[in-house]
Amino acid sequence: MTPDDVPYLPRGVRTQFDAVRKVDVILGPERVLVLDQVGKAVVGRLDGEASLAEISADLAQVYDAPVDVIAPDVTAFVEDLRDRGMVHVRPR
Amino acid sequence: MSVRVDPPMAMLAELTHRCPLACPYCSNPTELLAKETELSTEAWADVFQQAAKLGVLQLHLSGGEPASRRDLAELVIAAREAGLYTNLITSGIGLTERRLRELDDAGLDHVQLSLQGVNAVMADRIGGYKGGFDRKMHVAEIIAEIGFPLTLNAVMHRENLDDLPQTIDMALRLGARRIEVACVQFQGWALVNRAALQPSWEQVETAKKTVARAVETLKGRLVIDFVPPDYYADFPKACMNGWGSTGLNITPNGTVLPCHAAETIPHLQFEKVTDRALTDIWYEGAAFNAYRGTDWMPDLCQSCERRDIDFGGCRCQAMAVLGDAAAPDPVCTKSPGRAALDALLVEEVQEVAAPEFVYRR
Ligand code: SF4
Ligand code: SF4
């Protein structure tokens, strides 16, 4: 993926609060992933508008961390979700 | 040692055993339940509510052919109201454009379409239903038009495993996001046809290479989940995450099973959702506790470094091949049961022409 790519949750993938286990989860076909704080923050920004670079910049500000530290983690996380079929990507 | 029991993640609801197809590898029991014994719409809706409260996140609506239920859309509405991620497992037969649009309005999350073969000759022969393939292709077009996320579920065996590349192409052509390449697992009716379905070792090796290549080249376009036939493995498949740990199964008449094939184990006693609360059955039911954790395991598994990886393998397979549900899975090369499995492989695969299928009718 490139920094300009716009990731989004396609139809059939959604997040939900699991009231029994008290965790946030992301649900897709045959897949359930538990989201931690950071995961939730990333997934919550996959609005189909923001590019990967913009999402990293935003998170760097929120977590008060350098963007070149944040960006590789964000990219790896989003790419992993893409490989599991839970995130789709469109070019800017 | 007491076992910590977590809530289940997934539930398979077998809405009906009725099905227009007659696949020789059907994993449903050899004795099917009649329509009159099926749970009502209201009873299923109540089960969905109970399941969600118990911790189930994903619901698979299955069968038989779930489209044989006239109230399918109502059931989807009930499942979504309960907060469940709802997946329809179907052959496509019995689904019209009107019904699919109803399911869309009802909030169906995902469709899993089974594939019997990549052309009409093969598919209709396997499904035992003439015209089935063309109807399925038509249904797939409507699914794509509506925009349902689609998984193609290709059940592979001796007769069609060599068509794997075309099968993957078909998934791309139909716009599927995911393909499940599942080699037949020998449960239920499939056992009757094991010799006709068992692929050869060479077929399996070729298939593994095809899958590995496709996974790389199609990354980001198509998710590929591959279930190899376990008779050729050295160690058993993990039984989910262990018996009674992650999922449960409800039969058309409301019987609650730890797994789809559990009724093949004759000494287990099962309970019905119409008689007892689902939570109690999950946590306290005798059948669920029979093989939970590690206490039930033979010494061989207890002392094995794979104990918490494969959990001793499949109870139903130990039952089917060895007649002892508490034995290590006969796939395990460390186990005494492996000899029985190898004998079956020699006997069944060396025949040049596969025997005729016995269709379930
Ligand atoms: S001995 Fe038991 S736990 Fe170990 S690999 Fe074999 S079946 Fe699995
Ligand atoms: S016992 Fe066997 S058939 Fe049942 S869930 Fe476990 S692995 Fe699957």
Side-chain angles (χ1 to χ4, degrees):
Chain A
M1 282 176 64
T2 73
D4 279 342
D5 284 338
V6 178
Y8 62 97
L9 300 187
R11 176 170 175 177
V13 178
R14 61 169 195 266
T15 53
Q16 188 166 310
F17 180 69
D18 176 347
V20 174
R21 297 172 188 80
K22 312 261 181 283
V23 288
D24 287 287
V25 291
I26 178 166
L27 303 171
E30 295 284 331
R31 304 276 195 275
V32 177
L33 294 177
V34 173
L35 294 172
D36 59 13
Q37 274 298 310
V38 181
K40 193 184 166 195
V42 176
V43 170
R45 284 168 173 75
L46 304 180
D47 60 4
E49 301 287 333
S51 69
L52 202 51
E54 287 162 354
I55 293 168
S56 297
D58 185 18
L59 287 166
Q61 202 169 34
V62 171
Y63 287 96
D64 198 15
V67 74
D68 41 329
V69 174
I70 292 259
D73 287 352
V74 171
T75 306
F77 178 69
V78 175
E79 276 180 348
D80 180 53
L81 286 176
R82 185 203 55 184
D83 292 349
R84 294 169 192 255
M86 298 180 92
V87 160
H88 283 191
V89 175
R90 62 177 175 79
R92 228 317 121 75
Chain B
M1 190 200 77
S2 74
V3 188
R4 204 190 105 206
V5 184
D6 289 323
M9 303 281 269
M11 182 167 90
L12 186 88
E14 292 172 12
L15 299 178
T16 177
H17 276 159
R18 288 174 283 148
C19 182
L21 301 189
C23 301
Y25 49 72
C26 178
S27 60
N28 279 332
T30 35
E31 290 297 324
L32 301 182
L33 294 168
K35 180 177 183 197
E36 299 70 54
T37 66
E38 290 175 8
L39 292 185
S40 66
T41 317
E42 298 71 36
W44 275 119
D46 177 57
V47 174
F48 298 160
Q49 288 289 341
Q50 290 193 51
K53 292 202 180 77
L54 175 57
V56 169
L57 294 168
Q58 297 215 331
L59 173 69
H60 305 287
L61 299 175
S62 164
E65 173 49 61
S68 303
R69 292 272 310 212
R70 306 279 294 270
D71 57 355
L72 185 59
E74 282 172 77
L75 293 171
V76 170
I77 293 174
R80 287 301 312 266
E81 272 171 4
L84 298 168
Y85 186 96
T86 309
N87 174 31
L88 178 69
I89 302 180
T90 179
S91 68
I93 308 298
L95 288 177
T96 57
E97 168 150 14
R98 188 181 56 79
R99 291 193 80 191
L100 280 162
R101 296 211 180 267
E102 273 170 21
L103 292 172
D104 186 23
D105 293 339
L108 181 66
D109 285 296
H110 180 258
V111 178
Q112 189 166 320
L113 190 67
S114 65
L115 189 75
Q116 283 73 26
V118 286
N119 56 58
V121 177
M122 173 71 84
D124 292 353
R125 183 174 118 67
I126 300 289
Y129 184 89
K130 201 153 185 303
F133 181 77
D134 290 342
R135 285 172 66 175
K136 186 190 299 284
M137 289 302 110
H138 181 60
V139 166
E141 275 167 32
I142 304 167
I143 289 171
E145 214 178 281
I146 294 177
F148 280 121
L150 173 69
T151 289
L152 203 62
N153 182 8
V155 180
M156 309 300 282
H157 44 81
R158 178 168 175 155
E159 287 214 15
N160 67 4
L161 193 52
D162 296 338
D163 294 338
L164 183 56
Q166 293 89 314
T167 307
I168 295 173
D169 285 348
M170 175 165 278
L172 291 169
R173 211 159 57 237
L174 296 179
R177 283 193 209 164
R178 186 170 155 263
I179 183 172
E180 223 173 86
V181 179
C183 292
V184 171
Q185 306 293 312
F186 296 105
Q187 310 285 2
W189 196 259
L191 277 168
V192 177
N193 286 300
R194 184 170 53 203
L197 294 166
Q198 188 74 263
S200 71
W201 185 83
E202 290 77 15
Q203 280 184 301
V204 174
E205 287 307 301
T206 310
K208 282 184 186 163
K209 286 186 198 121
T210 307
V211 168
R213 254 195 324 268
V215 164
E216 270 316 305
T217 51
L218 298 175
K219 214 177 204 133
R221 276 177 74 199
L222 185 70
V223 176
I224 305 177
D225 286 333
F226 181 51
V227 185
D230 60 350
Y231 280 35
Y232 290 106
D234 289 337
F235 295 112
K237 278 189 291 107
C239 165
M240 305 175 285
N241 265 314
W243 179 274
S245 72
T246 42
L248 71 166
N249 195 77
I250 312 232
T251 74
N253 70 6
T255 307
V256 187
L257 308 176
C259 101
H260 175 86
E263 282 173 309
T264 58
I265 303 177
H267 69 265
L268 294 182
Q269 301 264 320
F270 304 105
E271 296 165 279
K272 287 196 175 139
V273 272
T274 41
D275 298 334
R276 199 178 181 194
L278 195 61
T279 308
D280 294 344
I281 299 179
W282 172 259
Y283 287 105
E284 285 151 33
F288 280 86
N289 284 305
Y291 304 109
R292 249 181 192 143
T294 54
D295 280 0
W296 63 271
M297 286 181 181
D299 291 341
L300 185 68
C301 296
Q302 295 264 11
S303 58
C304 175
E305 72 285 354
R306 292 183 54 86
R307 186 188 72 179
D308 301 317
I309 300 173
D310 66 39
F311 312 96
C314 174
R315 296 306 87 229
C316 301
Q317 183 143 279
M319 185 70 225
V321 176
L322 307 169
D324 175 7
D329 189 321
V331 165
C332 174
T333 44
K334 291 164 72 168
S335 81
R338 179 72 206 195
L341 200 77
D342 284 333
L344 284 176
L345 275 178
V346 169
E347 189 187 313
E348 293 179 348
V349 178
Q350 73 180 191
E351 288 171 54
V352 185
E356 285 296 304
F357 288 140
V358 183
Y359 290 96
R360 74 173 314 159
R361 293 224 189 273

